[in-house]
Amino acid sequence: MKKIAIIGLGYVGLPLAVEFGKNRSVLGFDINAKRVADLQSGYDHTLECTSEQLKDSVHLGYSDSVDDLGQCEIFIITVPTPVDQANRPDMTPLVKASETVGKVLKPGDIVIYESTVYPGATEEVCVPVLEKFSGLKFNRDFYCGYSPERINPGDKINTLTTIKKITSGSTPQVADEVDSLYRSIIKAGTWKASSLKVAEAAKVIENSQRDLNIAFVNELSVIFERIGIDTLEVLEAAGSKWNFLPFRPGMVGGHCIGVDPYYLTHKAEELGYHPEVILAGRRINDDMARYAARGIVKRMLQNGIDVARSKVGVMGITFKENCPDIRNSKVADLVKELQLWGVTVVVSDPWANANEVMQEYGIALGQITNTDQVDSLVVAVGHKEFRVLTPQVLRSNCNELVQPVLGDLKSLYDRHALADAGFTVFRF
C-alpha cells in the first residue's frame, strides 16, 4: 500500500492520521516542532484523540522535517483556511503547504486537499504551486483529489469514521482511488462527487446554509426583544410542527460556519456576481457579539449599575462547548465591546489554554469567585461545568449590593429561576 503523509496535525489532520495509521504506514507532518513532540509523547492538546488512540495507531509516525516526506506517495493537506481582517480568503497556509509538498512530489503521486476552499481553488491556486515546485505536469505526472473535512471539534459521537465523506479526483481513475482510500476507514461510507469543483462547492455550502439559518433566528431574536417576548419560547412553540428546523440564535464563531461563506462570496464576486443573501446573513451573525454586549449594558444601566466602574464576569471563551478550540471566538468580540464601555472584564474558561488566549486575543484568563464578586455575569459558552450551576450559585458570585444582569447567551438556565434568584436576564 502507498504510504500516506498527512500535512497539518490539527483538529482535522490528527484524527485522520490516527485512523489511517491503524492499518497502513502514515507520516503525520507539522511545522510546529512542539506539536510533533507532544504527539510523540502521546499528548494531544486539542483533546480530539486520547493517548490510547494515539498508541493504537501503530503505523503512524510524526515529523517536522520536510526530508521525511519524500518517502510518501499520497499527500493529504489539512491546513486551516482562514480569512483576513477584511474577510477575504487567506490562502497562505494552503499555498505554503502546497510548496512543501511540491518540493518532494514524484511522478505518480496524489495530493488530496481537505481544507475548505471556494469552488475551483484546488486547480486555480494549488495545482500551479505544485507544478512550479515539482517541475511536474498536472494529470500527467501527478494527480489531485479533494475530500472536504467534516470534523466537529469536541463531538465524541459524530466522529471522523461515522460521518459520510465526500471524495473526488482529478481523473476518473484517481477519483476511484481516492474514494477507495477513504472507504477503507469511513464506516459511514463515501459520496464520490463528479469533479473537484463539485466537492469543493458541496463543502462550502454546507456551512453557508447553517450560517444563514442561524442568521434568520438571530434576526428573529432582535425583533422579539423589541416586541418583549422570549425567543426560546417562540422557537419551542414553532418547533411543535414536524418540519420546523431547530436552529437557535447565538454568536457564530469557529473555523467553519463563521468563515466558509466568505470563500463562496469571494468567488462569486470574482465572477461579477454580488451575493446578497449570504452576505446579509454574515452581517447579522457578525454583529451578535456587539448586540449582546449592548443588551447587557442597557440592563445594567437600567438597574442603576455604574457601568464604567463595574466588573463583569464572562464565563467561556472557546468558540463552542466542551472543547479547547478558541479559533475565531466571538466571545472575544463581546469582551472588547464591554471594555469599550469601561467595564472591567474577568474571563474564565476551564477548557481554554490561557497562553493561547493571551496570544490570540490579548485576554488574560482569571477566576470568577464569590470572594471577588462581579456586578454582572455573562455565560457565553455551554460547557458542562457551567450547565450544572444553579441560579443561586451564579448569584453568589455577584455583588450583593446591586441587581446583577445575567447574560445567558446559550439559554442554559430557566429564566424564571434566574429572575427569582435576583437576576435581570438577557438572552438571545
Side-chain angles (χ1 to χ4, degrees):
M1 289 189 290
K2 295 179 178 178
K3 183 166 183 175
I4 300 173
I6 308 292
I7 315 298
L9 298 175
Y11 285 89
V12 175
L14 182 62
L16 195 66
V18 167
E19 202 60 41
F20 275 126
K22 292 177 180 178
N23 300 302
R24 60 192 298 161
S25 181
V26 177
L27 177 67
F29 176 85
D30 202 288
I31 59 174
N32 186 335
K34 185 180 185 307
R35 174 67 166 158
V36 170
D38 284 347
L39 292 172
Q40 287 172 333
S41 67
Y43 171 66
D44 170 27
H45 78 269
T46 70
L47 305 182
E48 289 300 298
C49 297
T50 66
S51 57
E52 290 77 14
Q53 289 172 321
L54 296 177
K55 185 178 179 181
D56 289 343
S57 189
V58 294
H59 303 290
L60 171 61
Y62 306 97
S63 176
D64 61 347
S65 172
V66 177
D67 293 338
D68 293 333
L69 292 172
Q71 58 190 299
C72 302
E73 299 167 275
I74 297 176
F75 302 87
I76 303 179
I77 294 178
T78 64
V79 296
T81 43
V83 291
D84 62 18
Q85 290 188 338
N87 292 321
R88 295 170 301 200
D90 180 2
M91 307 291 277
T92 303
L94 207 56
V95 169
K96 293 294 184 182
S98 298
E99 290 177 1
T100 298
V101 171
K103 293 173 183 177
V104 298
L105 207 57
K106 307 176 297 301
D109 287 352
I110 299 175
V111 184
I112 303 170
Y113 291 89
E114 291 214 2
S115 308
T116 302
V117 292
Y118 55 78
T122 299
E123 292 155 292
E124 296 166 10
V125 176
C126 303
V127 165
V129 175
L130 293 172
E131 288 184 323
K132 176 183 176 180
F133 282 83
S134 68
L136 302 176
K137 184 68 176 175
F138 176 54
N139 277 346
R140 184 192 71 188
D141 303 318
F142 73 92
Y143 307 89
C144 283
Y146 185 79
S147 182
E149 59 90 4
R150 282 175 165 170
I151 294 293
N152 188 22
D155 190 338
K156 302 307 179 185
I157 298 174
N158 300 299
T159 57
L160 171 66
T161 62
T162 63
I163 303 172
K164 183 168 284 192
K165 196 91 161 68
I166 296 173
T167 67
S168 64
S170 57
T171 70
Q173 294 77 18
V174 170
D176 288 340
E177 185 172 349
V178 172
D179 191 65
S180 177
L181 175 71
Y182 282 104
R183 272 193 287 110
S184 70
I185 63 168
I186 305 297
K187 298 174 184 175
T190 58
W191 180 281
K192 187 168 64 173
S194 61
S195 68
L196 300 178
K197 287 181 182 177
V198 168
E200 291 166 330
K203 168 58 179 176
V204 80
I205 71 165
E206 289 175 14
N207 288 324
S208 297
Q209 182 187 66
R210 284 184 55 79
D211 193 44
L212 284 169
N213 278 311
I214 297 170
F216 172 62
V217 292
N218 274 337
E219 190 162 58
L220 292 180
S221 175
V222 175
I223 295 169
F224 294 153
E225 197 273 336
R226 296 190 178 195
I227 295 173
I229 55 178
D230 185 72
T231 305
L232 183 58
E233 290 183 0
V234 176
L235 293 176
E236 287 175 340
S240 64
K241 189 181 181 187
W242 76 92
N243 61 351
F244 186 81
L245 300 177
F247 285 91
R248 295 287 183 90
M251 299 184 295
V252 182
H255 64 296
C256 287
I257 300 177
V259 172
D260 294 355
Y262 288 121
Y263 277 76
L264 184 57
T265 58
H266 168 81
K267 184 63 177 179
E269 289 176 336
E270 208 175 53
L271 296 171
Y273 178 77
H274 180 71
E276 298 186 19
V277 174
I278 300 171
L279 287 175
R282 281 281 73 237
R283 285 193 296 272
I284 291 169
N285 288 342
D286 275 347
D287 192 54
M288 292 309 287
R290 185 178 67 157
Y291 170 73
R294 292 187 173 188
I296 291 162
V297 166
K298 173 185 173 182
R299 286 159 177 79
M300 290 173 67
L301 289 169
Q302 290 172 340
N303 288 358
I305 297 174
D306 186 350
V307 172
R309 293 177 177 81
S310 69
K311 181 187 294 185
V312 172
V314 174
M315 299 167 62
I317 187 71
T318 62
F319 93 88
K320 64 178 295 188
E321 65 273 10
N322 306 326
C323 171
D325 195 345
I326 63 168
R327 290 174 293 175
N328 192 31
S329 171
K330 294 304 177 183
V331 183
D333 294 344
L334 172 79
V335 171
K336 291 173 184 176
E337 185 68 26
L338 288 171
Q339 289 172 335
L340 288 176
W341 288 85
V343 175
T344 298
V345 183
V346 181
V347 181
S348 173
D349 194 309
W351 287 81
N353 180 287
N355 291 331
E356 289 183 3
V357 174
M358 175 56 73
Q359 183 177 356
E360 184 70 20
Y361 301 114
I363 296 173
L365 292 186
Q367 293 295 324
I368 301 167
T369 66
N370 54 19
T371 57
D372 187 18
Q373 296 179 325
V374 295
D375 297 299
S376 288
L377 274 174
V378 183
V379 182
V381 184
H383 291 316
K384 60 184 181 181
E385 291 87 349
F386 301 157
R387 290 178 180 271
V388 299
L389 299 177
T390 65
Q392 291 71 30
V393 170
L394 293 168
R395 182 64 181 88
S396 70
N397 292 323
C398 298
N399 188 344
E400 296 178 357
L401 302 179
V402 301
Q403 182 177 353
V405 175
L406 192 289
D408 183 13
L409 303 190
K410 303 298 288 186
S411 296
L412 302 184
Y413 314 107
D414 182 281
R415 67 187 183 94
H416 301 293
L418 290 173
D420 290 343
F423 283 110
T424 297
V425 180
F426 172 87
R427 64 185 191 185
F428 292 126

